[in-house]
């Protein structure tokens, strides 16, 4: 897949205004294409941002579908690669400690199965974060055919919206069609529809589109990838 940059070179961080587009809402769906800088925005504007009211750094939980993505984002954000419940409990809410974490969908599943206790508020991790962000939100549909984790993530997000009015849930995707239902479903947890914001900036931001798509067998694809790399081209490979 060869990249074809759109005319617009704006990134998500150039378009989204935190106080206008995010903070007034409890549920936000952010639609921006591949290469628009969604994760850059999370890292620079949220995990390094400060609450305008308290002047303290935001506490951020980023959930993503792939382990390699989680590893990279945790390193970039200088965040925990897991939910360190003991550290969260020790620091408390709103204290000096800056709490950021990056986990996979399966990490949420593991936490709910092994650490979460309904009757123990200290395990209700949604109370420790200002933002809970679901990256690659379409994975709740695409991965559900072979994994249980998406169902746990869905119930987790619904519980967040139901129990913590001060936590902002952000759904990020460049492929909204598979999860059109998700935003609608989670809105049902809100008392007021005005607490939700559908933010479609796909056309406003730079994004990569394929000039052509070729379906071929794995061995042929591997050969083609090597040949393109030898030409100095950049490749996005999905398997």
């Amino acid at each position: 897949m060869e990249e074809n940059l759109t005319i617009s070179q704006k990134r998500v961080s150039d378009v989204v205004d935190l106080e206008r587009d995010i903070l007034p809402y409890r549920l936000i769906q952010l639609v921006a294409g591949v290469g628009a800088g969604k994760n850059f925005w999370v890292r620079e504007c949220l995990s390094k941002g400060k609450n305008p009211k308290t002047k303290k750094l935001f506490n951020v939980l980023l959930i993503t579908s792939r382990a390699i993505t989680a590893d990279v984002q945790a390193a970039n954000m200088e965040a925990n690669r897991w939910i360190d419940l003991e550290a969260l409990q020790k620091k408390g809410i709103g204290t000096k400690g800056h709490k950021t974490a990056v986990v996979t969908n399966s990490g949420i599943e593991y936490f709910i199965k092994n650490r979460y206790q309904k009757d123990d508020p200290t395990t209700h991790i949604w109370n420790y974060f200002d933002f809970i962000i679901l990256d690659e939100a379409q994975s709740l549909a695409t991965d559900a055919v072979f994994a249980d984790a998406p169902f746990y993530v869905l119930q987790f997000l619904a519980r967040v919206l139901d129990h913590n009015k001060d936590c902002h849930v952000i759904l990020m995707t460049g492929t909204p069609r598979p999860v059109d239902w998700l935003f609608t479903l989670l809105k049902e947890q809100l008392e007021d529809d005005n607490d939700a914001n559908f933010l479609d900036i796909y056309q406003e931001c730079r994004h990569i589109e394929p000039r052509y798509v070729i379906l071929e067998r794995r061995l042929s694809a591997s050969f083609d990838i090597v040949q393109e790399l030898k030409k100095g081209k950049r490749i996005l490979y999905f398997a």
Side-chain angles (χ1 to χ4, degrees), residues 23-201:
L23 294 181
Y25 305 97
R26 296 182 56 208
L27 173 65
I28 304 97
Q29 178 156 326
L30 175 61
V31 179
V34 175
K38 295 187 291 294
N39 284 305
F40 176 86
W41 172 73
V42 170
R43 182 173 75 247
E44 297 299 319
C45 299
L46 296 186
S47 70
K48 295 182 181 180
K50 289 186 178 182
N51 188 314
K53 294 181 180 179
T54 65
K55 307 302 180 182
K56 294 181 179 179
L57 289 170
F58 289 122
N59 300 314
V60 178
L61 173 62
L62 176 64
I63 307 168
T64 189
S65 58
R66 301 290 178 259
I68 184 63
T69 304
D71 292 342
V72 172
Q73 291 304 325
N76 289 340
M77 294 169 59
E78 298 181 352
N80 284 341
R81 179 56 179 82
W82 69 95
I83 298 171
D84 190 337
L85 184 60
E86 286 69 28
L88 292 175
Q89 292 170 339
K90 184 178 179 180
K91 292 178 180 178
I93 303 173
T95 56
K96 186 177 179 180
H98 181 210
K99 297 175 285 293
T100 60
V102 181
V103 297
T104 59
N105 293 346
S106 58
I108 293 294
E109 177 185 5
Y110 176 87
F111 180 86
I112 292 174
K113 286 181 175 179
N114 296 280
R115 304 303 307 275
Y116 170 73
Q117 296 181 36
K118 180 180 179 180
D119 297 325
D120 183 359
T122 65
T123 68
H124 301 174
I125 57 173
W126 47 80
N127 290 325
Y128 297 108
F129 296 100
D130 300 298
F131 296 100
I132 295 180
I133 303 161
L134 178 63
D135 186 26
E136 303 293 347
Q138 73 276 3
S139 68
L140 291 202
T142 57
D143 291 4
V145 297
F146 60 83
D148 292 335
F151 300 97
Y152 284 89
V153 174
L154 174 60
Q155 293 303 315
F156 172 72
L157 295 177
R159 186 60 60 90
V160 173
L161 292 171
D162 193 41
H163 285 76
N164 187 355
K165 294 183 179 181
D166 295 322
C167 184
H168 307 272
V169 172
I170 302 176
L171 313 174
M172 299 198 309
T173 181
T175 314
R177 186 173 298 177
V179 282
D180 283 341
W181 55 270
L182 178 60
F183 185 70
T184 302
L185 183 65
L186 290 178
K187 278 180 65 176
E188 296 177 0
Q189 304 299 126
L190 303 175
E191 296 178 359
D192 188 343
D193 284 348
N194 292 324
D195 285 336
N197 186 21
F198 187 86
L199 194 59
D200 186 349
I201 56 173

